[in-house]
Amino acid sequence: MIPLTTLQLEQLAKLFHQGAGEASRALSRWLERDVRVSVDSLDQAAFNEATESLGPSDATLCACVMSVNGRITGKLLFCFDDTSGLLLCDLLLGRGTQSTRWGELEESAAMETANIVGCSFLNAVSESMPDSETLEPNASGGSTRTCVPSPPQFVRDFAASIIEFAVMDQAESSDTILLARTKFQIDDTPVAWNLLLIPDGLILDSMSRVFG
Amino acid sequence: MGGIGVGSSSGVLRTLLGSCIGIALYERRLKIVGLAHVVMPDSMGRTSSLGKYADTAIPETIRKMMTIAGVGGKRLDLSAKIAGGANMFAQTSGTGTVPIGEKNRIAVEEVLKKLNIPILARHVGGTTGRRMLIDIATCTVQIQVVGQSVIEI
């Protein structure tokens, strides 16, 4: 995989801004609050530095992980620490007090939210992408017109362990990892949620050609 | 990821693992220790990022250990303990192919076998990440999984 140029990264960032806008609208409806999702950064990090992309490597992190097929292939992770993740659940479940532990209900609420954020983000990115005739599809059988995420899987583990697995598809073909990070605000207050898109090496090569 | 650390006499080497394999190599008598974090099973002839691949990381770790041991070309009496190789996102990864963590484990074990280095303990597979530490002075290896007590292997 050839690293994307600055211009290509800027074009890609525009797509992701479209995705973040749609995710904002979807999440605002879902939580019945004013939620803003914005692209925080789009980086090509050295492979061995990627594990620090979500903070300290040995911090415990929660993630709802989705595999993405279609016009973009890769991994989409909705990540948060315990406190921020449980805050999301409390908002959804209308609880007045701060929850302190993950149960089946909390995990389900987080995954449902990940599904809504992920689908809205990917749909907007997909619709904004250049003509599919020029963007070669992946070999995994997904549609070339849409991005289809798998059902989310909830994991709670070391941050580095989660990132390591998520970047594995890029690691096969490159020593550089592309990471698109977002940040979230509820009613203008930042919350430590993070939507992380990690396209795989094959689709990055296609993007590189499309964006010239 | 893909890093190699070596040390002698005292101190701790550590790494965090998901589907990667951590390989602790040690020469107990000389207190020379190496820790490699293998990401992929096969370098396919690549000559960069030697620590990333099972077939290049292990020889490179040994070379570094021999350098700090100052033993010239003399062979070190090495033992190994390995950890990692999880399939953390089994539900989203699909079925029908061998998970990358399993491929890594098989590759690492093959390389160690070729080099006649015995594997004295394993903590591999499963669906969770691991923190792996090796104490250089004692050559003891500890494994930690989120939400569980530290264990020695």
Side-chain angles (χ1 to χ4, degrees), chain B:
Chain B
M1 286 191 290
I4 294 173
V6 295
S8 62
S9 301
S10 64
V12 174
L13 300 178
R14 65 177 194 158
T15 191
L16 286 150
L17 303 160
S19 56
C20 298
I21 295 277
I23 307 147
L25 293 169
Y26 57 92
E27 219 287 8
R28 188 179 294 275
R29 188 175 51 86
L30 298 175
K31 293 183 181 174
I32 304 287
V33 165
L35 182 61
H37 181 139
V38 165
V39 181
M40 306 296 294
D42 192 345
S43 66
M44 311 289 276
R46 295 182 184 92
T47 54
S48 61
S49 304
L50 297 179
K52 190 172 164 183
Y53 309 100
D55 60 329
T56 53
I58 295 170
E60 179 64 7
T61 306
I62 295 169
R63 188 191 67 74
K64 288 178 180 246
M65 292 172 72
M66 289 175 74
T67 300
I68 62 168
V71 294
K74 201 172 166 186
R75 185 183 159 86
L76 293 171
D77 183 16
L78 295 174
S79 299
K81 294 184 179 180
I82 65 173
N87 186 16
M88 296 173 66
F89 304 147
Q91 291 169 29
T92 61
S93 299
T95 56
T97 56
V98 178
I100 185 68
E102 179 70 358
K103 288 181 184 173
N104 282 334
R105 181 192 63 77
I106 292 168
V108 163
E109 291 187 353
E110 282 178 356
V111 174
L112 290 170
K113 188 177 179 183
K114 276 183 192 167
L115 295 170
N116 290 318
I117 298 172
I119 302 173
L120 300 188
R122 294 173 175 80
H123 196 279
V124 295
T127 58
T128 59
R130 296 167 171 89
R131 191 201 323 250
M132 181 183 196
L133 304 92
I134 179 162
D135 185 295
I136 295 171
T138 61
C139 295
T140 53
V141 174
Q142 291 186 328
I143 303 293
Q144 186 177 15
V145 173
V146 167
Q148 298 180 19
S149 303
V150 176
I151 60 164
E152 189 177 315
I153 62 170

Side-chain angles (χ1 to χ4, degrees), chain A residues 173-187:
Chain A
S173 57
S174 177
D175 288 334
T176 306
I177 303 297
L178 177 72
L179 296 161
R181 277 174 292 203
T182 58
K183 58 184 177 183
F184 290 73
Q185 284 184 309
I186 300 179
D187 300 334

Side-chain angles (χ1 to χ4, degrees), chain A residues 12-184:
Chain A
L12 198 54
K14 283 181 188 170
L15 292 182
F16 293 161
H17 281 298
Q18 298 278 343
E22 192 53 41
S24 300
R25 286 183 280 279
L27 199 52
S28 294
R29 284 194 297 272
W30 174 242
L31 294 176
E32 298 179 342
R33 303 283 285 268
D34 179 27
V35 182
R36 287 184 201 169
V37 186
S38 56
V39 178
D40 189 27
S41 64
L42 183 61
D43 297 323
Q44 292 184 105
F47 181 74
N48 56 8
E49 295 169 2
T51 50
E52 301 284 344
S53 57
L54 289 176
S57 297
D58 56 358
T60 301
L61 191 73
C62 301
C64 298
V65 183
M66 295 163 275
S67 288
V68 182
N69 287 309
R71 300 193 78 185
I72 291 178
T73 54
K75 295 279 192 300
L76 189 65
L77 285 75
F78 185 45
C79 308
F80 33 78
D81 58 26
D82 284 332
T83 303
S84 304
L86 289 167
L87 168 67
L88 166 66
C89 299
D90 292 339
L91 280 173
L92 266 175
L93 301 170
R95 291 171 174 160
T97 55
Q98 171 78 54
S99 300
T100 54
R101 58 179 289 275
W102 289 97
E104 196 174 329
L105 187 62
E106 288 76 15
E107 290 184 13
S108 177
M111 285 191 284
E112 187 60 38
T113 306
N115 197 36
I116 287 166
V117 174
C119 285
S120 55
F121 180 85
L122 290 170
N123 283 340
V125 169
S126 177
E127 287 169 10
S128 306
M129 281 180 80
D131 191 1
S132 65
E133 276 71 24
T134 55
L135 187 64
E136 291 181 7
N138 63 89
S140 57
S143 161
T144 59
R145 294 299 306 168
T146 57
C147 294
V148 182
S150 68
Q153 179 182 345
F154 183 91
V155 293
R156 184 172 178 273
D157 215 314
F158 294 115
S161 300
I162 293 172
I163 291 294
E164 179 190 285
F165 197 91
V167 303
M168 202 51 66
D169 290 335
Q170 283 193 40
E172 284 189 83
S173 57
S174 177
D175 288 334
T176 306
I177 303 297
L178 177 72
L179 296 161
R181 277 174 292 203
T182 58
K183 58 184 177 183
F184 290 73

